[in-house]
Amino acid sequence: MTIPTAATTITTMPAAETLDSLRLMAWLSPGYPVGAYAYSHGLEWAVEAGDIRDEAGLTLWLEDVCTRGALRNDLILAAEAHRAAGASDGVGLIAVNDLALALAPSRELHLETSQQGRSFLDATRGAWPCPALAALSEELPGPVAYPVAVGLAAGAHRMALAPVLAAYGLAFLQNLVSAALRAAPVGQAAGTRVIAALAPRLVPLAAAAAEVGLDALGAATFRLDLGSFRHETQYSRIFRS
């Protein structure tokens, strides 16, 4: 009996694209020195308030944060920063950063984005320098919103926008699941299932963010925003937001 075999095609990714992929994995890994592990984006308060009690509750909460809250806005802002960097538009970059910082609804969430953004930009300038990044970074000497910093660095390095937005979305989701493993009654297996369930939602979210402009910014996670105000006076806490 002869078993038919299918022809195998091996596709080799160009070296430049491979380097961009590795760069993204490095920039958005938990080991990159931005201090992402210190922030829960209001999740710790949601656990305290009883909004997150199990895997199902965590999934619903994260889905709202991703599709109706901060992640959607972050992706739009990162895309705008990427375009500004690609056009060497320092004025536009400043405007996007000012808007991104102003959108933070509480002191803790402002700290979350500005501290990570400043740390990301400083670390990336030191480890992954390029002339465009050095020049454009001078336009942002003060606080920098995290998505703006990532978009700026990627645009300065001429990296394709779509993979940057998708990778940013996954890193955002993974960081909050990591926070949930420390603060909520869910284990690693449950956390992995949550990531697997929500990852497909990131694809259209990132694709849409690449096409719309700043007029599409908006969020509807009011309970999270109010919770971020209450978190700073929470009796027992392990996160900064």
Side-chain angles (χ1 to χ4, degrees), residues 68-107:
R68 300 177 178 87
L71 178 58
R72 179 179 176 275
N73 282 345
D74 277 5
L75 295 177
I76 295 172
L77 292 164
E80 289 295 316
H82 185 279
R83 281 189 278 268
S88 298
D89 181 6
V91 174
L93 192 62
I94 292 171
V96 172
N97 186 58
D98 288 346
L99 177 59
L101 293 172
L103 286 173
S106 71
R107 182 178 66 176

Side-chain angles (χ1 to χ4, degrees), residues 110-207:
H110 186 280
L111 174 66
E112 178 178 299
T113 192
S114 61
Q115 184 270 303
Q116 290 187 84
R118 182 77 263 166
S119 297
F120 178 91
L121 194 55
D122 291 346
T124 305
R125 287 185 63 182
W128 306 86
C130 74
L133 179 58
L136 289 166
S137 296
E138 296 301 320
E139 302 289 345
L140 302 175
V144 185
Y146 187 38
V148 173
V150 174
L152 161 59
H157 278 278
R158 305 295 178 181
M159 297 163 64
L161 177 59
V164 172
L165 297 183
Y168 184 100
L170 181 61
F172 181 97
L173 175 62
Q174 288 178 312
N175 188 66
L176 292 190
V177 169
S178 175
L181 297 183
R182 288 169 280 165
V186 296
Q188 291 182 329
T192 302
R193 288 193 296 269
V194 170
I195 293 172
L198 294 180
R201 300 296 301 272
L202 303 178
V203 178
L205 195 65

Side-chain angles (χ1 to χ4, degrees), residues 13-123:
M13 182 182 292
E17 292 183 22
T18 302
L19 179 58
D20 284 351
S21 297
L22 295 177
R23 187 184 291 128
L24 267 179
M25 286 189 280
W27 287 0
L28 297 172
S29 77
Y32 210 64
V34 299
Y37 62 86
Y39 299 99
S40 79
H41 198 74
L43 185 145
E44 186 173 29
W45 178 84
V47 173
E48 179 75 13
D51 292 355
I52 299 174
R53 300 180 182 182
D54 51 24
E55 180 180 341
L58 175 62
T59 302
L60 291 173
W61 193 88
L62 289 176
E63 183 176 14
D64 277 350
V65 177
C66 290
T67 61
R68 300 177 178 87
L71 178 58
R72 179 179 176 275
N73 282 345
D74 277 5
L75 295 177
I76 295 172
L77 292 164
E80 289 295 316
H82 185 279
R83 281 189 278 268
S88 298
D89 181 6
V91 174
L93 192 62
I94 292 171
V96 172
N97 186 58
D98 288 346
L99 177 59
L101 293 172
L103 286 173
S106 71
R107 182 178 66 176
E108 287 195 348
L109 293 179
H110 186 280
L111 174 66
E112 178 178 299
T113 192
S114 61
Q115 184 270 303
Q116 290 187 84
R118 182 77 263 166
S119 297
F120 178 91
L121 194 55
D122 291 346

